[in-house]
Amino acid sequence: MGDNEPQRMDDDRRAAERAEDAALVARARGEDPDAFGRLYDRWFTRVHDLAFRITHDDAAASDVSQDAFVSAWKNLDRLENPEAFGGWMLRIARNAALDRKRKDAKATPFDDEGLAMIESAGPSPASAPAGFRVEDRTRTADDPAHAIEDNELVALVWESAAALGDRDAEILDLGLRHGLTPAEIGEAVGMNRNAANQAVHRARNRLKTAVEARVLWRSGEPVCEGLAAALTAAQVGRFGPEAVRVTTRHAEKCAECQERRQTRLEPSAMFGALPFLVVPMLLRMKVAHAMIESGVPMAESETVTGSDPDAPSDGRATRRRHFGRRGLVVAGIVAMVAVVGVGAFADEVDEVKVAISDAPSVTTTTGEDTTTSTVPVEVPTDVPSTTTATTKPFVPPPPPPVTSPPTAPPETGTASITVRVGGRAGTAVWSASGGVRWSATGAGLNASSQSGSANLTWRLPGAYTYTMTTYGSAGQVLAQSTYVANVT
C-alpha cells in the first residue's frame, strides 16, 4: 500500500458518506420527510461532541443538539449543496453552542478562559520511573488506534490542543476529527477557503509545538533543571500558552530537551484519532422525542424506537431491519385474519388501517424519560366448538412450577471530589469507581476522566461548587459528591 493509499481510502469513504447524506436530504425534502430521522442518527454523536467541546456542559450540549437539528429541519430547503449537509449541520451546532456559551458565561462568575487541567493522580505519579509516565510513553506509541486507548495520552493531547486557544482548537477539531474540508471549515468559522487552508496548516504546527512542550512539562515537574528554573522565573504554575512559549524557547537551546520532546506519532494523527464522546442511548432517545414534539418527523430514525443501542461512534447509522411497534400490531391483525378467513380480510381493509392507527398504547415513565409503545392486538385462540364430545374429557397436565428469572445485581459506584484553596488559586482532586462514565464539573473544571486533578484559578471571591458524578450503563446517576470551595 502506497504512502497516499490510506488518505485516498479516507477520501473515498467521506465521498460515499456525503453521497448518502445528499440522498437522504433529497428524500426528506420530497415524498419521505421521515428520512430526516436517518440524518439525525448519522450526525447526532458528532453534533453533540462539537457542542460539548464548546460549552463544556452535558445539559447544554444536549439542548444545543436538539435546537440545531430542529433548526436544520426547518431550513433544509435552504441548503444549497445536499452533499455538504454534515458541514452545514456542524456549522448550525457551532453557532448555537457559542450562543449558549456566551449566555451561560454572563451568569457564571468565573474565568472561563482558565485551562482546566487533567493531571492524573493515579498511574503516573511524579516519582514514577522512566517509561511509566505518560510523557515517556509518547515516544513509544506508534499507532493512533492504540494510542487513544491510553486515557492519560488522550488527556495530554486534549490539554495541548486547549493551550492553542479556542480558534485553533476548533479548526483542528473540525478538520481532523470531523473530516471537514478547508472550504467547509471556512464556512463554519467565517473565513474564506484560502485563509482556512492556511489556518489548518498553522494549527497543525502549533499543536505539534504544544504537545512537545507538554511532554517536557511533566505535570509541572520537568526533568531538566534548566527548564524548571525558566518556568519558575516566568512564574508559570499551570500548563497553557505561556508554558508552551517558555518551554519551546528553552528547548531550542537545550539538546537534552530537544531529544526528550520527540514523539513517535505525529500529534495531528493522534488528535484526529481521538474518539467522539459516547452518548447514552436514553439521552439520544430523549432528544429525538423532544424533536418530534417540536414537529420534526422522525419515524425512520432507529434512535426513536431505541432499537439501535450499538450505533457507531462516528454517527453513521447501522443498516438493520427492525420489527417495531407497528409491526406487532400488524402481526396481530394478520393472525386474526387467519382465524376469520381470507375473504373477510378483503372486505375489512379499512378496518385494518383504523386498527393500526387506533392501537392502544402504554406509557412507561422512568425518571425523566417517557417511552410510549403500542400494544399488540389480542387474538383469541379458543374458538367455540359445535361438536358434542363423546370421549372422556382431556385433563391437561399441571403446569411446571414458576421460577423467577435471575436478576442482575444493581449497578453501584462511588464518587468523591475535594478542592484545596490557596488564595485565588487551588487544586481539585477527584476519583470514582464503578459506572461507565464520569464527570467532574465546576468553575474552571470540566473533565470526564475517572480520576485526576486540576489546577484552578478564580477571578472573584465567593463560594464555588464542584461536583463529581458516576453514571451507570443506562445513563443513571450511581453516585455523586459535591464540594463547596470558599474563596476569599
Side-chain angles (χ1 to χ4, degrees):
M1 182 180 291
D3 293 340
N4 295 327
E5 186 66 14
Q7 182 62 44
R8 185 185 67 79
M9 294 176 62
D10 196 43
D11 291 342
D12 290 345
R13 176 183 61 79
R14 290 175 180 171
E17 288 181 354
R18 290 187 173 97
E20 292 178 12
D21 284 341
L24 289 171
V25 169
R27 287 174 54 195
R29 285 172 167 176
E31 78 288 350
D32 186 11
D34 287 331
F36 189 81
R38 291 278 294 279
L39 290 167
Y40 173 86
D41 291 339
R42 289 165 63 84
W43 284 94
F44 178 80
T45 297
R46 291 188 241 188
V47 166
H48 183 275
D49 185 275
L50 177 66
F52 181 83
R53 299 299 172 194
I54 295 175
T55 63
H56 303 292
D57 182 86
D58 286 324
S62 298
D63 293 342
V64 166
S65 299
Q66 176 183 329
D67 293 343
F69 276 105
V70 171
S71 176
W73 164 251
K74 292 180 178 179
N75 296 280
L76 195 59
D77 289 338
R78 299 184 181 181
L79 176 60
E80 296 181 1
N81 180 10
E83 289 192 354
F85 174 83
W88 180 67
M89 188 72 247
L90 293 176
R91 182 166 75 250
I92 294 173
R94 173 185 179 269
N95 292 336
L98 290 174
D99 288 343
R100 176 63 179 263
K101 183 179 180 180
R102 284 190 289 267
K103 177 182 177 182
D104 291 348
K106 293 179 181 179
T108 307
F110 69 90
D111 183 5
D112 61 353
E113 296 179 356
L115 178 62
M117 298 295 297
I118 306 176
E119 300 287 357
S120 174
S124 295
S127 59
F132 188 73
R133 291 173 58 97
V134 62
E135 292 87 349
D136 299 306
R137 297 200 298 275
T138 59
R139 292 199 292 272
T140 61
D142 58 359
D143 183 352
H146 293 159
I148 62 175
E149 295 176 356
D150 186 330
N151 290 335
E152 287 185 289
L153 189 55
V154 168
L156 183 148
V157 175
W158 276 120
E159 293 169 23
S160 303
L164 304 180
D166 290 343
R167 174 55 65 91
D168 281 349
E170 186 178 6
I171 288 173
L172 288 172
D173 193 28
L174 293 173
L176 299 180
R177 296 179 69 239
H178 292 280
L180 300 192
T181 64
E184 291 173 325
I185 294 174
E187 291 180 1
V189 301
M191 60 176 64
N192 62 48
R193 180 173 181 172
N194 290 335
N197 202 15
Q198 295 175 7
V200 171
H201 180 72
R202 182 173 62 250
R204 284 173 179 258
N205 291 337
R206 288 179 176 175
L207 176 66
K208 185 175 188 298
T209 300
V211 169
E212 290 174 347
R214 178 59 182 81
V215 167
L216 297 177
W217 169 260
R218 293 178 71 90
S219 302
E221 299 181 8
V223 174
C224 178
E225 295 182 357
L227 176 56
L231 291 169
T232 301
Q235 297 182 339
V236 176
R238 60 174 181 163
F239 188 75
E242 183 65 11
V244 173
R245 186 185 66 81
V246 173
T247 302
T248 301
R249 186 172 58 187
H250 166 84
E252 291 173 352
K253 303 176 182 179
C254 178
E256 292 184 4
C257 286
Q258 289 181 20
E259 174 67 23
R260 194 175 288 119
R261 70 178 177 176
Q262 297 302 314
T263 60
R264 192 168 182 177
L265 274 177
E266 175 65 28
S268 60
M270 287 191 287
F271 188 88
L274 294 175
F276 297 125
L277 291 172
V278 177
V279 184
M281 186 61 179
L282 286 178
L283 176 57
R284 292 169 56 197
M285 292 176 64
K286 183 177 180 180
V287 174
H289 283 285
M291 290 172 57
I292 293 175
E293 293 178 358
S294 298
V296 182
M298 296 281 288
E300 198 168 325
S301 168
E302 293 178 329
T303 303
V304 172
T305 61
S307 56
D308 189 29
D310 299 321
S313 60
D314 64 356
R316 287 172 287 168
T318 302
R319 269 58 170 177
R320 297 194 186 102
R321 294 191 181 275
H322 301 287
F323 196 57
R325 298 191 297 269
R326 180 166 293 191
L328 290 174
V329 177
V330 174
I333 294 172
V334 171
M336 183 167 60
V337 169
V339 175
V340 301
V342 177
F345 173 72
D347 297 331
E348 300 297 332
V349 172
D350 292 337
E351 282 73 7
V352 170
K353 294 179 179 178
V354 172
I356 292 175
S357 61
D358 293 342
S361 62
V362 175
T363 301
T364 303
T365 303
T366 303
E368 296 180 357
D369 298 308
T370 300
T371 302
T372 302
S373 59
T374 304
V375 178
V377 173
E378 296 291 337
V379 181
T381 57
D382 297 326
V383 180
S385 175
T386 59
T387 304
T388 303
T390 58
T391 60
K392 184 178 180 179
F394 172 72
V395 179
V402 178
T403 59
S404 300
T407 58
E411 294 183 78
T412 61
T414 65
S416 67
I417 187 167
T418 59
V419 179
R420 296 190 294 270
V421 179
R424 296 289 178 84
T427 303
V429 179
W430 65 90
S431 64
S433 65
V436 298
R437 188 167 66 90
W438 309 271
S439 66
T441 59
L445 171 65
N446 196 302
S448 58
S449 55
Q450 187 172 4
S451 63
S453 64
N455 296 329
L456 304 171
T457 58
W458 298 279
R459 181 176 296 174
L460 300 172
Y464 295 85
T465 301
Y466 293 85
T467 304
M468 178 65 186
T469 307
T470 299
Y471 299 92
S473 57
Q476 75 275 27
V477 175
L478 299 180
Q480 193 170 72
S481 174
T482 300
Y483 188 94
V484 178
N486 292 311
V487 179
T488 59

